[in-house]
Amino acid sequence: MSIAQASTLDTKAGPFTAIVATDGAVLASGWTASSAELVPLISPALRPKEVREKRDLGAVSTAIRTYHAGELNAIDDIPVRQSSGEFLSHAWDVLRKVPAGEPITYSDYAALAGRPAAVRAAASACARNAAALFVPCHRVLRIGGALGGFRWGLPVKRWLLEHEAS
């Protein structure tokens, strides 16, 4: 892939940037004002040679604004493209099916992904997820409800969970 587009939007949880392929699939996203911070998260097989800043990414920008305004399912139909091994790719697909407002534990996530004993692998899928929000790794918690980790900071994760619970 040679060229992708990026846009940063102000949200209630902070600046949010998405990098999108020319066909509209999200390659990387997160609560940062820097597309340069996101590029290394993209699999080398998918990493664009150039990222051009754009004011609006169409359906992706609309989904980001709408989600943060309270329409939690706005992100569900946005295509995402990530590349890794079979388990991670499957685990990311599974994560997209976890409903807003219904967080699960890492153990539950491993079981949903078909490998109940692979709790660390499930946690790794969350940690290696380049498309935050669209692949909602923030919906996975430790047993007992502790937040666990989150690339974009625990205050953002807390905000997202509270936003989805209301």
Side-chain angles (χ1 to χ4, degrees):
M1 180 173 308
S2 59
I3 298 174
Q5 299 173 331
S7 182
T8 301
L9 289 85
D10 289 325
T11 73
K12 294 175 183 177
F16 185 90
T17 300
I19 298 177
V20 177
T22 55
D23 66 357
V26 173
L27 300 174
S29 55
W31 287 266
T32 177
S34 169
S35 60
E37 187 177 350
L38 294 173
V39 170
L41 304 179
I42 302 170
S43 165
L46 300 174
R47 193 171 297 145
K49 293 186 186 330
E50 181 182 352
V51 176
R52 294 181 182 164
E53 297 296 324
K54 189 174 179 185
R55 175 185 242 159
D56 188 89
L57 300 174
V60 172
S61 292
T62 298
I64 294 164
R65 283 190 293 271
T66 307
Y67 169 87
H68 284 86
E71 190 176 315
L72 305 178
N73 295 329
I75 59 173
D76 294 351
D77 293 329
I78 299 296
V80 171
R81 186 170 302 118
Q82 296 191 83
S83 178
S84 190
E86 185 178 331
F87 177 75
L88 286 180
S89 294
H90 171 69
W92 291 326
D93 289 341
V94 167
L95 196 49
R96 292 200 79 189
K97 296 175 181 142
V98 175
E102 299 179 29
I104 59 174
T105 66
Y106 288 101
S107 299
D108 294 337
Y109 179 37
L112 287 171
R115 291 180 53 192
V119 177
R120 286 186 183 184
S124 177
C126 288
R128 295 178 61 190
N129 172 32
L133 183 62
F134 299 97
V135 178
C137 54
H138 65 274
R139 296 179 184 160
V140 183
L141 305 172
R142 290 184 176 164
I143 292 175
L147 293 181
F150 190 58
R151 178 189 318 270
W152 308 109
L154 294 183
V156 172
K157 185 172 185 172
R158 187 175 297 106
W159 185 91
L160 293 166
L161 293 169
E162 289 172 0
H163 178 62
E164 292 183 352
S166 53

